[in-house]
Amino acid sequence: MTFRTLLFVPGARPERFPKAGAAGADTVCIDLEDAVPPHQKEQARAEAMAFLQADTSGRFGLRINGVTTAPFAADCEALRAAPKSAAFVMVPKLETAEQVALVRERIGPDCPPVWPVIESPEGLRNAWDIAAAPGVGGVLFGGADYSAEIGSDMEWDALAFARGQLVAACARGGVELLDVPYLDIKDPEGLIATTTRVKAMGFTGRSCIHPDQVAPVNTVFTSSPAAVAHAQRVMEAFEAAEGGAVQLDGKLIDLPVIRAAQRTLERAGGA
């Protein structure tokens, strides 16, 4: 399943886990990193793992602490001791494909799909190798930390280069790509506008930091009935041509058009 929306929930607030699961997001990520102060890391980890092991929805993943931090080893050990408890493991500030391999080695043979967060110039430089590394299920663009690293703001032009690089890297690697959360939860118009732009670039979904952001992002990344109907007509015409050249509504149906139609149907659950 392609994630249109990923909702973060603080690992230090276990009472919010069920509420996050009911918010309508395609997946929920319990955050043990930025959302948890150092003195609460151990308790948050225990609360998160207890919830994950009891959950039966299969929709919850876990963001652990970075590979160079002190809590990293304990986070990996907790996941190793509870195989298949998390739908994915997100790793912040990941910068090389070798670090992906390290995460998978530490968690063990039942390591869930790894979701690197690329949020530094070094990570962006190695994005092509990271996205293609074994075990990677998708990538999250950590735009806030990346902008801090390069000394920019988070406006569109400042992050356009990084977004374009990640789209190409993830397309080559055949993995999903989620955009950075929109930080102004009181600006739904800005959320919709920027989400529409990242979808047009090739992002497959967006992360969210508040339940109110989920529905607008889902709407943007959900194919409209008209788009689904057109995609179905494209596929029907292509199949009827049995590999030959074919036109639909006066336009040639070539491979890029077919791929676009397939993506539309996949997002709609129709393929």
Side-chain angles (χ1 to χ4, degrees):
M1 176 182 179
T2 299
F3 297 150
R4 300 166 300 170
T5 44
L6 177 150
L7 177 62
F8 282 107
V9 60
R13 300 296 300 272
E15 75 280 3
R16 293 186 182 180
F17 298 170
K19 295 177 183 178
D26 290 334
T27 191
V28 178
C29 185
I30 300 175
D31 186 13
L32 298 183
E33 192 218 7
D34 285 346
V36 181
H39 70 280
Q40 291 183 312
K41 295 285 188 184
E42 187 173 348
Q43 180 180 352
R45 182 188 306 115
E47 295 275 13
M49 294 309 302
F51 179 85
L52 289 171
Q53 291 177 72
D55 175 64
T56 58
S57 71
R59 294 173 50 247
F60 284 79
L62 188 70
R63 177 157 75 172
I64 63 175
N65 292 276
V67 298
T68 62
T69 66
F72 170 72
D75 290 345
C76 290
E77 184 57 36
L79 285 165
R80 189 182 188 98
K84 302 180 181 179
S85 58
F88 59 87
V89 55
M90 185 174 286
V91 188
K93 300 175 178 61
L94 203 148
E95 295 187 325
T96 66
E98 289 75 19
Q99 289 177 339
V100 175
L102 172 64
V103 172
R104 298 182 71 211
E105 178 185 354
R106 289 292 187 90
I107 295 175
D110 290 318
C111 180
V114 176
W115 276 72
V117 185
I118 294 182
E119 47 192 335
S120 70
E122 185 66 15
L124 185 65
R125 179 175 179 267
N126 294 316
W128 298 80
D129 293 333
I130 292 170
V136 170
V139 169
L140 173 70
F141 175 38
D145 281 75
Y146 179 81
S147 66
E149 287 274 346
I150 67 173
S152 76
D153 57 29
M154 289 187 65
E155 297 304 313
W156 184 266
D157 289 347
L159 299 182
F161 173 77
R163 284 188 169 113
Q165 288 287 306
L166 291 177
V167 166
C170 290
R172 174 178 174 268
V175 298
E176 300 180 49
L177 175 61
L178 302 184
D179 196 34
V180 59
Y182 191 72
L183 299 182
D184 189 349
I185 61 176
K186 300 293 186 181
D187 181 20
E189 292 80 10
L191 170 67
I192 292 170
T194 56
T195 302
T196 300
R197 293 188 77 173
V198 298
K199 179 188 176 184
M201 286 190 74
F203 280 72
T204 58
R206 186 164 205 174
S207 54
C208 303
I209 54 173
H210 192 280
D212 288 348
Q213 295 180 324
V214 171
V217 174
N218 274 343
T219 297
V220 171
F221 279 100
T222 299
S223 302
S224 68
V228 172
H230 178 73
Q232 290 173 333
R233 291 180 63 218
V234 167
M235 297 307 301
E236 289 168 0
F238 173 70
E239 292 167 3
E242 297 181 345
V246 63
Q247 292 186 8
L248 180 66
D249 299 332
K251 297 180 180 179
L252 178 67
I253 299 177
D254 55 9
L255 187 57
V257 174
I258 295 165
R259 287 178 175 171
Q262 290 172 332
R263 284 195 297 269
T264 296
L265 295 175
E266 288 167 1
R267 288 175 175 172

